[in-house]
Amino acid sequence: MGRLFWKFFLFVWLAQMVGVVATGTLFWLEHQHHDARPDASHRERMPPPHLPPPNDFRPPPPPEHRGPIIPYIHIAAGLFASLLCAAGLAWYIAKPIRHLREAFEAAAEGNLDLRIGQSMGRRRDELADLGQGFDRMSDHVRALMEGQKRLLHDVSHELRSPIARLHAAIGLARQQPARIDDSLLRIEREGERMNRLVGELLTLSRLEAGVGTHIDTLDLADLLGDLIEDTRFEATARHIAVDCPTLPDFTLRANAELLHRAIENVLRNGLRFSPEGGTLSIEARILENRHCLIAITDQGPGVPDDQLEAIFTPFFRGTNPGEGYGLGLAIARRVLAAVNGQIMAKNTPKGGLRVEITIPPGP
């Protein structure tokens, strides 16, 4: 039984006990007073001890018949006590429910700023928990709505740039027919960029909606082997070394395509911020809890400490001009959350960024 039940039970029980005790006490007092009255009258009729008894014996008069006594006062007192207890109990229960009703009506009208946790006072029962739960729900819904608005604004901004370049390329092709090939390449590139952005948005939406994806049993060496080879190929053009020791034997269960994309996004970010001639380090090892840790460390400028969590939000823009993140890290976090994994970022003492991915083992 919950706390509210025991509170309700205690109130009712106390009300009954108070009524019974009060009524019984009044009856007892009335009975004591009634028993005392005949003795006094009898003593008044007894002859004084120094006088001889009267010669004429007369029997004492019969007791006065008073008829049935209805305890109007007792009943009224009991009803009044019950009325007070019932009113207090009803007020105690109805007050927080009224606050909850007003809060739900406000939320239904779109007002998510109303909070009712403080209006519950010092209560510590299910109704107080319900009020606090409503406040948490309002905070979560408002955060989701603000996130959706921000995401819609960022997507519009991201799509506007390639669309503007498409229009520019089409106009250039019309004005300079001799450069039609360059314009077509530009149009193709911008179209591919928009297609990739839409694909990432659909992936992010699917992950946020919790839509189930196909889960495979994967080998870590096979998964990271191809990614490392691709990363080395891209890093060669910028003279960036990719350092990776031997990969451990590790089996996990995840969606192969999504996990491949998540790790690839982290590797691409590492290459993006690594200086030319620097080194991108990839570390993979098994932890004591049998989870696999994949750490990717670059030699870039790092990220301010107050932005280490924000870089995992879609289209995050840093404080430095030109610094920003798209959907890659946001998708990576959701992909790992779907398999009970984690991803986090921290700065290294030398100034680079280290992204750690933790993946639980498979069966």
Side-chain angles (χ1 to χ4, degrees), residues 301-347:
V303 176
D305 292 338
D306 58 346
Q307 298 178 6
L308 289 175
E309 276 296 316
I311 62 175
F312 293 99
T313 58
F315 302 112
F316 171 73
R317 294 290 177 266
T319 54
N320 298 328
E323 184 182 70
Y325 300 84
L327 295 172
L329 291 179
I331 292 176
R333 168 159 283 188
R334 286 162 178 77
V335 168
L336 290 166
V339 295
N340 297 323
Q342 292 181 347
I343 181 172
M344 58 178 295
K346 59 183 179 182
N347 291 311

Side-chain angles (χ1 to χ4, degrees), residues 4 12 38 60 83 94 122 124 132 135-136 181 191 203 220 227 264 272 314 331 337 350:
L4 183 61
V12 173
L83 182 64
R122 302 176 64 181
R124 295 293 183 273
Q132 295 174 0
D135 292 347
R136 289 194 298 271
D181 292 338
T203 301
L220 181 66
L227 286 172
E264 184 182 24
R272 175 186 172 190
I331 292 176
K350 296 181 180 179

Side-chain angles (χ1 to χ4, degrees), residues 119-149:
S119 63
M120 294 294 178
R122 302 176 64 181
R123 300 176 67 106
R124 295 293 183 273
D125 52 27
E126 282 80 357
L127 290 175
D129 296 341
L130 185 60
Q132 295 174 0
F134 175 84
D135 292 347
R136 289 194 298 271
M137 182 196 69
S138 297
D139 291 338
H140 185 64
V141 172
R142 186 172 63 177
L144 288 178
M145 293 180 63
E146 291 177 353
Q148 293 296 327
K149 291 180 180 179

Side-chain angles (χ1 to χ4, degrees), residues 66-290:
R66 298 185 178 182
I69 301 175
I70 302 176
Y72 294 104
I73 299 177
H74 309 149
I75 296 176
L79 290 176
F80 184 69
S82 300
L83 182 64
L84 290 179
C85 292
L89 180 61
W91 176 84
Y92 186 76
I93 299 298
K95 183 182 178 182
I97 294 178
R98 185 173 65 253
H99 288 308
L100 284 171
R101 187 196 61 192
E102 294 173 355
F104 276 108
E105 290 178 351
E109 295 175 357
N111 180 16
L112 297 175
D113 297 329
L114 185 61
R115 298 292 181 271
I116 57 177
Q118 296 181 351
S119 63
M120 294 294 178
R122 302 176 64 181
R123 300 176 67 106
R124 295 293 183 273
D125 52 27
E126 282 80 357
L127 290 175
D129 296 341
L130 185 60
Q132 295 174 0
F134 175 84
D135 292 347
R136 289 194 298 271
M137 182 196 69
S138 297
D139 291 338
H140 185 64
V141 172
R142 186 172 63 177
L144 288 178
M145 293 180 63
E146 291 177 353
Q148 293 296 327
K149 291 180 180 179
R150 184 171 58 252
L151 180 61
L152 182 61
H153 174 269
D154 293 337
V155 170
S156 302
H157 177 76
E158 291 294 326
L159 286 177
R160 184 173 298 173
S161 298
I163 290 176
R165 288 192 288 268
L166 276 176
H167 288 170
I170 293 173
L172 185 63
R174 288 175 177 173
Q175 295 172 6
Q176 299 179 4
R179 302 182 57 184
I180 185 68
D181 292 338
D182 295 338
S183 299
L184 290 176
L185 287 176
R186 167 65 69 173
I187 292 172
E188 183 180 5
R189 189 161 57 245
E190 298 301 337
E192 180 62 28
R193 184 173 300 173
M194 287 191 295
N195 182 48
R196 186 169 59 252
L197 177 59
V198 172
E200 290 178 346
L201 284 172
L202 291 176
T203 301
L204 181 64
S205 176
R206 187 175 56 180
L207 291 171
E208 288 184 341
V211 177
T213 55
H214 182 67
I215 302 297
D216 303 313
T217 300
L218 308 175
D219 184 76
L220 181 66
D222 294 339
L223 178 68
L224 285 183
D226 295 338
L227 286 172
I228 293 172
E229 290 299 323
D230 294 341
T231 304
R232 280 178 174 156
F233 178 76
E234 295 183 21
T236 302
R238 295 178 53 193
H239 305 287
I240 298 175
V242 178
D243 182 21
C244 179
T246 305
L247 298 175
D249 293 332
F250 188 76
T251 303
L252 67 150
R253 285 185 58 80
N255 183 280
E257 179 185 355
L258 293 178
L259 185 60
H260 184 278
R261 184 183 299 179
I263 300 176
E264 184 182 24
N265 285 328
V266 179
L267 290 171
R268 286 187 178 276
N269 276 329
L271 283 179
R272 175 186 172 190
F273 291 101
S274 292
E276 186 171 349
T279 301
L280 181 67
S281 300
I282 304 174
E283 174 190 0
R285 57 187 172 89
I286 308 300
L287 302 176
E288 294 180 355
N289 58 1
R290 298 181 60 240

